[in-house]
């Protein structure tokens, strides 16, 4: 009986574990015919896994970004939502000894910062504004897995400080060195100490594959001068991995499938046919040879074939009826791998309703906010502190003292987004403010606006209305309603909060490229 059971279990791929061997406690660890094609990667460190595949991953990701519309769209979404039209803007927060904001000092710092953000000051080649550098950095991190930006101190510059965006290919991935008694370890071009902290970066002084082909030299650059931006996915990871890695294969297969369907559809649209002869009539050697007939077609006319000839048509149906649903299924997988909503990646809103698009957008915006915070922590914060030190040293920024620690209090204002359902969201915001559960400053910040700028705009509007003798209010006749008698209708509430969150329309923002 036992042998018969064993044979039955083997037929269905559920053979019992041999005696003395414990069965797998997790179904995902079971080895049987259903998991025979599950190729397992060997145990290896993050760097060991990446080193051999790095070049192939980067090349394929770049090809995808160049030639695949969805990949290009994803990079555009990153730039639009993480960086935004004005970049992540600085707001100086220097305070007086009594704890109040020092508005004069803050205005001076922000004006100098805005001047530095212009292309001729922010980038060493004078081509990129600081907003452009932010956008290029997030694109490189997503496409190549990492971005490299170098600080360049130049006394001849007005601020004495500028940035140079480097191609990640300049970080020599083939340069490795084992740790020794008097030398640090080098991993894929990054020199680290015994704790894994970067000490220096070994860079080619020019792109190793530039078409000029000039002689290049490997140089050692201290880590204090380099911003090496990448997302750490595993402990001990020294280099970054392209964000397209999980979707390279499905994206490539989808592109091939779409191309095949387009070719098949073109063939199907050609309406091809064959002339087939009857061997007993056309192939009779005792009769004169008959040439293959030629038929000219015209609208509304029907021709005739010679005796012994028939016509066979070929009408393939392409694209396949399952084409649309199959493409959508693959694109949903790709959008999940890129952590972006299907509707945003494809622009397809055919099956979207209010509830689904709201849930998708809110979850997606949390991803953008997370990336904004990552940019601030790993890039912008360091840039601002270095800029402050050299701006004070060069004299481009004049403050009562050169005590850098006193003037570096600040915060960053990333871009925000409009409400998904403005009327309902504004009513909820008003209720939160009135109930003391939220503040106007936070509500404005969620939309990428500065509450102080809003107050300045409102003060200017009030001054203008007084000069022209016009009273603006929430009432329909242009007069402000008496205190406590404001219109409580949703439309009036919308009008009041729009006035409250009214932003300066002249485009003057900290960090504007203009």
């Amino acid at each position: 009986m036992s042998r018969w059971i064993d044979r039955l279990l083997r037929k269905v791929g559920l053979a019992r574990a041999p005696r003395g061997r414990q069965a797998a406690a997790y179904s995902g660890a079971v080895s049987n015919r259903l998991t025979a094609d599950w190729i397992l990667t060997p145990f290896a460190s993050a760097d060991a896994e990446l080193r051999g595949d790095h070049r192939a991953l980067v090349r394929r990701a770049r090809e995808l970004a160049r030639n695949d519309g969805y990949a290009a769209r994803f990079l555009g979404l990153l730039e639009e939502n993480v960086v935004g039209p004005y970049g992540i803007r600085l707001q100086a927060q220097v305070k007086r000894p009594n704890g109040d904001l020092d508005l004069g000092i803050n205005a001076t710092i922000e004006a100098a910062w805005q001047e530095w953000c212009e292309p001729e000051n922010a980038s060493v080649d004078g081509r990129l504004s600081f907003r452009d550098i932010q956008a290029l950095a997030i694109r490189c991190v997503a496409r190549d897995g990492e971005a490299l930006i170098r600080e360049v101190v130049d006394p001849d510059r007005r601020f004495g400080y500028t940035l140079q965006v480097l191609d990640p290919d300049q970080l020599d991935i083939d340069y490795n060195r084992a740790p020794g008694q008097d030398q640090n370890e080098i991993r894929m071009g990054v020199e680290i100490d015994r704790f894994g902290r970067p000490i220096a970066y070994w860079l080619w002084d020019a792109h190793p594959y530039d078409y000029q082909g000039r002689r290049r030299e490997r140089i050692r650059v201290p880590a204090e001068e380099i911003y090496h931006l990448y997302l750490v996915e595993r402990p001990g990871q020294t280099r970054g991995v392209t964000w397209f890695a999980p979707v390279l294969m499905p994206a490539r297969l989808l592109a091939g499938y779409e191309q095949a369907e387009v070719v098949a559809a073109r063939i199907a649209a050609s309406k091809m046919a064959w002339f087939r002869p009857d061997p007993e009539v056309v192939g009779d050697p005792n009769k004169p040879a008959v040439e293959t007939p030629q038929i000219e077609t015209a609208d509304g006319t029907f021709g005739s074939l010679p005796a012994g000839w028939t016509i066979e048509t070929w009408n393939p149906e392409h694209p396949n009826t399952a084409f649309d649903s199959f493409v959508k299924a693959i694109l949903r997988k790709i959008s999940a791998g890129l952590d972006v909503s299907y509707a945003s990646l494809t622009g397809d809103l055919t099956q979207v309703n209010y509830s689904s698009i709201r849930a998708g957008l809110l979850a997606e915006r949390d991803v953008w906010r997370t990336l904004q915070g990552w940019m601030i922590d790993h890039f912008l914060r360091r840039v601002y502190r270095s800029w402050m030190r050299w701006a004070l040293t060069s004299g481009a920024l004049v403050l009562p003292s050169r005590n850098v620690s006193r003037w570096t209090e600040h915060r960053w204002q990333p871009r925000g987004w409009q409400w998904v359902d403005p009327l309902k969201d504004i009513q909820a915001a008003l209720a939160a403010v009135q109930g003391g559960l939220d503040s106007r400053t936070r509500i404005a910040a969620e939309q990428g606006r500065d509450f102080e700028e809003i107050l300045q705009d409102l003060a200017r509007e009030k001054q203008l209305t007084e000069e022209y003798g016009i009273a603006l209010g929430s009432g329909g006749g242009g007069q402000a309603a008496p205190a406590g008698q404001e219109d409580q209708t949703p439309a009036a509430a919308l009008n009041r909060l729009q006035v409250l969150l009214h932003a300066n329309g002249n485009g003057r923002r900290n960090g504007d490229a203009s």
Side-chain angles (χ1 to χ4, degrees), residues 8 23 65 153 189 277 371 394 426 452 497:
L8 179 61
V153 177
L371 292 175
S394 66
I426 288 174
E452 183 179 351
L497 200 58

Side-chain angles (χ1 to χ4, degrees), residues 449-466:
R449 300 173 179 177
D450 182 3
F451 185 62
E452 183 179 351
E453 292 181 359
I454 295 173
L455 294 179
Q456 293 172 357
D457 292 341
L458 294 176
R460 283 193 292 267
E461 289 179 351
K462 181 180 180 182
Q463 182 180 358
L464 287 174
T465 56
E466 290 175 352

Side-chain angles (χ1 to χ4, degrees), residues 70-117:
Y70 299 114
R73 174 58 180 158
F74 173 69
L75 296 178
L77 286 173
L78 279 176
E79 180 178 342
E80 295 166 12
N81 290 280
V82 177
V83 177
Y86 307 111
I88 301 178
R89 300 180 292 130
L90 170 73
Q91 292 182 341
Q93 298 287 297
V94 178
K95 297 180 181 179
R96 295 191 178 97
N98 62 0
D100 295 336
L101 290 176
D102 193 326
L103 300 182
I105 293 295
N106 291 334
T108 301
I109 294 174
E110 290 177 5
W113 172 263
Q114 183 174 348
E115 180 184 355
W116 178 81
C117 288

